[in-house]
C-alpha cells in the first residue's frame, strides 16, 4: 500500500510514527486507564481523553479524525463526536462497579491483542490489585506452545497480581509462571473456574477476562456480573 500510494496525489496519511498528515501520540492514561490522545494536523493541535480503552481503539479514533478533518469538521465537532463513542461488548468493554472494575475482552484473542490487554491492565491506577482471567489463544499453529509461554514475561512486566488460566495451551503458561513465582492458578475445567469465581472475593481490584472465541470466556464475565448484582 505504501509503495503504490506514491503514485496517488490525493491521499491522507495518519499514524503514530513517521511523517503523517494526521499525527497521533498517546501521551498518557487517566487513573481508570482511558487513553489520552494528542492529535496534530495542518496548523491544529489538540488533546482528548478517549471514552473507550486500548491502543487499538486509539488507532481507530485517529483514522476517524483523519476523515473528519478532510470533511472540514472543526476540532470542537471532532471532540464532541469522540465523546459520544461507546464501548463494544467483548472488546475491552469496561464495566465499573462500586468496589471493582471488570474489563470484558472476550470477543477473541491472539498474542498481539493479549499484549495490549495486559498493557491496559497495567495502566489502570485506580486499583493496585490486577487480576487476569485468560483462556487459550487458538489458531497459532506450530508456534502455539511458545506463544503461550511468552505471555509470562508480559505478565511479569505488567505487574499483574493474579492470573487465572483455563485451557489446554494455558498449561504451558502455568509452568512458566511457576518458575517466576507469579500468583497464578490453572483450572483443568470450566466448572472449577466457575466455582472459584463464586467462592472468592474480587473487591478492590481490576479484572480483565480474555480468550479466543471458542473458549467462551464471556461465561465468566457473566458470572462475575451476576455475583455483583
Amino acid at each position: 500500500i505504501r509503495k503504490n500510494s506514491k503514485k496517488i496525489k490525493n491521499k491522507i496519511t495518519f499514524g503514530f510514527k513517521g511523517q503523517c498528515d494526521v499525527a497521533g501520540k498517546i501521551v498518557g492514561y487517566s487513573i481508570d486507564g482511558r487513553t489520552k490522545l494528542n492529535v496534530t494536523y495542518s496548523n491544529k493541535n489538540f488533546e482528548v481523553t478517549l471514552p473507550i480503552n486500548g491502543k487499538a481503539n486509539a488507532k481507530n479514533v485517529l483514522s476517524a479524525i483523519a476523515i473528519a478533518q478532510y470533511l472540514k469538521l472543526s476540532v470542537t465537532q471532532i471532540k464532541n463526536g469522540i465523546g459520544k463513542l461507546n464501548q463494544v461488548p467483548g472488546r475491552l468493554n469496561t464495566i465499573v462497579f462500586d468496589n471493582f472494575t471488570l474489563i470484558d475482552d472476550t470477543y477473541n484473542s491472539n498474542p498481539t491483542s493479549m499484549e495490549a490487554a495486559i498493557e491496559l491492565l497495567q495502566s489502570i491506577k485506580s486499583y493496585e490489585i490486577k487480576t487476569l482471567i485468560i483462556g487459550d489463544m487458538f489458531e497459532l499453529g506450530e508456534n502455539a506452545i511458545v506463544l503461550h509461554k511468552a505471555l509470562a514475561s508480559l505478565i511479569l512486566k505488567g505487574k499483574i497480581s493474579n492470573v487465572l488460566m483455563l485451557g489446554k495451551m494455558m498449561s504451558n503458561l502455568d509452568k512458566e509462571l511457576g518458575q517466576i513465582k507469579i500468583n497464578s492458578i490453572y483450572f483443568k475445567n470450566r466448572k472449577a473456574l466457575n466455582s472459584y469465581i463464586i467462592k472468592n472475593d474480587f473487591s478492590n481490584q481490576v479484572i480483565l477476562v480474555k480468550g479466543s472465541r471458542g473458549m467462551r470466556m464471556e461465561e465468566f464475565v457473566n458470572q462475575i456480573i451476576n455475583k455483583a448484582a
Side-chain angles (χ1 to χ4, degrees):
I1 291 172
R2 187 178 293 110
K3 181 180 178 181
N4 288 321
S5 72
K6 294 178 182 178
K7 305 172 186 177
I8 302 170
K9 292 182 180 180
N10 186 21
K11 64 178 182 290
I12 300 168
T13 59
F14 63 90
F16 291 86
K17 296 179 181 179
Q19 299 266 335
C20 302
D21 297 321
V22 181
K25 182 179 180 181
I26 294 175
V27 294
Y29 299 91
S30 65
I31 192 172
D32 57 354
R34 291 184 297 151
T35 307
K36 294 181 180 179
L37 179 65
N38 183 274
V39 182
T40 303
Y41 61 88
S42 302
N43 60 345
K44 297 180 176 64
N45 176 271
F46 67 91
E47 187 174 306
V48 61
T49 300
L50 307 184
I52 49 179
N53 286 329
K55 284 185 178 179
N57 281 325
K59 292 177 181 179
N60 292 338
V61 168
L62 192 64
S63 68
I65 292 170
I67 296 168
Q69 64 84 31
Y70 173 74
L71 296 173
K72 302 190 186 308
L73 271 68
S74 68
V75 169
T76 299
Q77 287 174 310
I78 291 172
K79 292 176 78 171
N80 287 342
I82 291 171
K84 295 176 183 177
L85 292 173
N86 294 316
Q87 300 275 6
V88 178
R91 295 183 184 272
L92 294 177
N93 182 24
T94 303
I95 309 165
V96 179
F97 293 87
D98 289 340
N99 59 350
F100 73 94
T101 294
L102 175 63
I103 302 174
D104 174 9
D105 198 28
T106 58
Y107 183 79
N108 213 338
S109 185
N110 57 58
T112 302
S113 67
M114 188 69 82
E115 180 178 3
I118 293 170
E119 285 181 356
L120 170 61
L121 203 55
Q122 182 185 11
S123 73
I124 295 174
K125 306 301 181 187
S126 48
Y127 292 107
E128 289 187 10
I129 302 174
K130 304 171 194 302
T131 298
L132 190 61
I133 304 177
I134 47 176
D136 283 355
M137 301 180 290
F138 291 166
E139 300 174 357
L140 299 179
E142 61 184 17
N143 296 318
I145 292 175
V146 172
L147 290 170
H148 279 81
K149 285 183 176 181
L151 296 177
S153 61
L154 296 174
I155 288 167
L156 182 63
K157 181 181 177 183
K159 299 180 180 178
I160 306 304
S161 312
N162 310 299
V163 185
L164 311 180
M165 295 160 284
L166 177 70
K168 183 179 178 181
M169 282 293 134
M170 280 298 166
S171 63
N172 298 290
L173 173 60
D174 179 46
K175 293 174 185 175
E176 292 292 307
L177 294 178
Q179 293 179 21
I180 56 178
K181 297 182 179 179
I182 291 286
N183 186 30
S184 61
I185 305 174
Y186 174 69
F187 298 89
K188 293 184 178 180
N189 56 63
R190 307 179 71 82
K191 184 178 179 181
L193 178 51
N194 260 318
S195 178
Y196 181 91
I197 290 171
I198 291 170
K199 292 178 182 177
N200 285 271
D201 185 12
F202 289 93
S203 298
N204 303 315
Q205 57 188 283
V206 54
I207 309 147
L208 191 146
V209 187
K210 186 172 181 62
S212 280
R213 189 87 293 276
M215 289 300 296
R216 296 178 286 115
M217 299 300 288
E218 64 272 13
E219 174 185 337
F220 307 110
V221 169
N222 293 332
Q223 185 73 265
I224 295 169
I225 292 173
N226 291 337
K227 183 180 176 179

